[in-house]
Amino acid sequence: MKLSFTKMHGCGNNYIYINCFDQKVTDPEKLSIALSEPHFGIGGDGIILISPSDRADAQMRIFNADGSEGKMCGNGIRCVGKYLYDNGMVGGRTTITIDTLSGVKTLELNVRDGKMQTARVDMGAAILEPAKIPVNMAGSSVIDAPLVVDEKVYHVTCVSMGNPHCVIFFNEDDVDDLDLSRLGPKFEHHPLFPERINTEFVNVLPDGSLKMRVWERGSGETWACGTGACATGVAACLNGFCKPDTDITVHLRGGDLTIRYTTETVFMTGAAATVFKGEIEL
Ligand SMILES: N[C@H](CCC[C@H](N)C(=O)O)C(=O)O
């Protein structure tokens, strides 16, 4: 059986996109494991299914490289917006909606020569209540709280953008020097996170921008994480490093995103790119 796909990325966070308006995927968990694998498959951070929706222009489902399903994907939703616009599936409209497991999101597309270049996504309100993230810590929110990994105390801020995030600010260490392959899994599987966690390792730079690396639940280190950049912008405001209602630049390994945190919602602006289209024999 042949399956058509499109490889796309947002800031280097790369997924295999499958148009399910005209194709059927029966076991997405198994498919994501197979296709994400770089040696025997296509290689990527996971797969994203683009399907019809009765309440939005399309529905997006994201599966991590280990087959687990994520509830939201910031880089992915910009790529879905690009896919829909560039392929004429939204009638040339530049305000579109995409249904996700974290609700319907609205995108404002910036287009040139018939192609989407960047998008601004209304990501919805940050969720701070521990039980809704979820994180097994008491209180109304988790800001600058101590968390022990390998006998070392880290101060973490936990935020959900529909998917769970643990944001850690480093004053002394340059996050580029951290061994994420050792550290990442210890946070991902920490007992305080009953549904595992996406973890962001952040430096606040002298110009007030943020430098971030991320270890993603189910995919390991990725070159960017859109929901993670949102969580990082929110956490930076909650910790007094940045101001709400201002544009915050987050530098990721694969590019930059602009985050704006207001009490009502979080906006994320960034690019999306098509790398190649292909067909795979299953
Ligand atoms: N890379 C995605 C996040 C994937 C989250 C996934 N790892 C999970 O929550 O299980 C992003 O750009 O927001």
Side-chain angles (χ1 to χ4, degrees), residues 98-179:
I98 295 172
D99 188 9
T100 76
L101 289 182
S102 301
V104 176
K105 310 295 179 188
T106 301
L107 287 73
E108 300 296 337
L109 311 182
N110 164 33
V111 302
R112 193 182 59 241
D113 306 331
K115 300 276 184 212
M116 189 204 102
Q117 310 298 319
T118 62
R120 188 185 77 151
V121 186
D122 179 339
M123 297 287 282
I127 298 160
L128 303 175
E129 302 91 285
K132 293 182 180 167
I133 292 177
V135 54
N136 294 332
M137 283 191 195
S140 62
S141 62
V142 178
I143 301 174
D144 196 28
L147 187 146
V148 179
V149 167
D150 285 351
E151 283 135 41
K152 184 170 181 212
V153 179
Y154 293 84
H155 285 264
V156 305
T157 298
C158 294
V159 179
S160 169
M161 290 306 300
N163 57 5
H165 295 272
C166 171
V167 183
I168 309 162
F169 294 96
F170 290 81
N171 303 322
E172 284 79 42
D173 303 310
D174 183 332
V175 295
D176 289 339
D177 300 334
L178 296 176
D179 178 0

Side-chain angles (χ1 to χ4, degrees), residues 13 15 62 64 70 72-75 163-164 198 216-217 224-227:
N13 187 201
Y15 291 90
I62 167 194
N64 296 306
M72 188 34 204
C73 183
N75 288 312
N163 57 5
N198 298 289
E216 282 200 29
R217 167 178 69 172
C225 181
T227 49

